[in-house]
Amino acid sequence: MTTRPLRRYTYCADGPQIYRESFAIVRAETDLSGIPADAEHVAVRMVHTCGQPDLTADLRIHPDFVRAGRAALLAGAPIFVDSTMVAAGITRRRLPAANEVICHLNDLRVPELAAAWGTTRSAAAVSLWGDRLDGAMVAVGNAPTALFHLLEQISEGGPRPAGIVGVPVGFVGSAESKQALIEHDAGIPYVAVTGRRGGAALAAAVINALAGRPE
């Protein structure tokens, strides 16, 4: 049996209390006035994940995103992600229909496709999503090239997902890819964070918020 070390610091160690207080602080410190009413819990979950209440100033949530996303998950739609980090962050027990979480980044076909097309592995992997993308949910948290590639496929008549979480992080192409999502004329509901901020944890947080109860 392991021995608990001497407690040298004053801190809350009650899990449920930490949970309650954390979300109370988020709601007290976050301006949710520009967020669709049914998406407030999505914004709250994202702020809780990154620890930055000012995130909502850059957060863009399509007014139909929550409705479309929840309907897709309840119908058993798969969730396509651009990285194993996003996949790992999705809490499977929250998913309402044991929804499949799919990442093709490590598929053996990806390196050859990426080399042939002169693009990244993340972008090439998107092409392997195939027809199952129709009506599915998408969560892009790492690679701007994956989001660009997805939008290009849709623009050429490719399968249309039910909703897109587009929050890739970075200094090259990140802001531009998210702006392209916001301005895309396909009418697909989305969540985006303008600028350079984003990441796998934020992408997973959106899916978890859709699947779980409001905080």
Side-chain angles (χ1 to χ4, degrees):
M1 177 181 292
T2 57
T3 302
R4 190 199 189 286
L6 177 66
R7 188 157 182 171
R8 301 176 183 274
Y9 307 97
T10 301
Y11 57 91
C12 179
D14 183 307
Q17 181 181 347
I18 292 171
Y19 186 91
R20 290 191 303 271
E21 289 188 12
S22 293
F23 283 101
I25 291 170
V26 169
R27 284 192 171 272
E29 296 186 3
T30 303
D31 180 4
L32 297 170
S33 60
I35 305 298
D38 69 346
E40 284 189 4
H41 69 292
V42 175
V44 165
R45 175 66 67 171
M46 294 177 76
V47 169
H48 178 263
T49 296
C50 68
Q52 298 174 322
D54 68 333
L55 182 76
T56 54
D58 297 329
L59 184 56
R60 305 290 182 267
I61 303 180
H62 189 281
D64 293 331
F65 178 80
V66 170
R67 178 194 59 76
R70 281 183 168 162
L73 292 181
L74 286 169
I79 303 160
F80 288 95
V81 301
D82 71 319
S83 73
T84 56
M85 292 174 64
V86 177
I90 295 173
T91 306
R92 309 302 172 95
R93 59 181 169 78
R94 283 179 176 262
L95 299 176
N99 307 74
E100 189 177 0
V101 180
I102 303 170
C103 179
H104 280 108
L105 189 59
N106 293 321
D107 189 293
L108 296 178
R109 296 169 289 178
V110 166
E112 184 178 354
L113 273 177
W117 294 347
T119 190
T120 67
R121 289 173 58 238
S122 297
V126 172
S127 292
L128 300 181
W129 294 353
D131 291 338
R132 292 192 68 193
L133 178 60
D134 189 42
M137 290 299 294
V138 172
V140 176
N142 280 35
T145 53
L147 184 53
F148 276 129
H149 191 93
L150 173 64
L151 296 176
E152 289 167 346
Q153 280 193 166
I154 294 170
S155 295
E156 293 190 3
R160 294 166 53 90
I164 301 172
V165 181
V167 291
V169 64
F171 295 89
V172 178
S174 173
E176 293 82 358
S177 69
K178 289 176 284 190
Q179 193 60 38
L181 171 61
I182 293 167
E183 296 175 357
H184 200 261
D185 60 1
I188 297 172
Y190 61 83
V191 170
V193 177
T194 61
R196 295 170 172 175
R197 285 191 289 188
L202 281 180
V206 176
I207 299 298
N208 290 338
L210 278 181
R213 62 178 176 79
E215 307 299 348

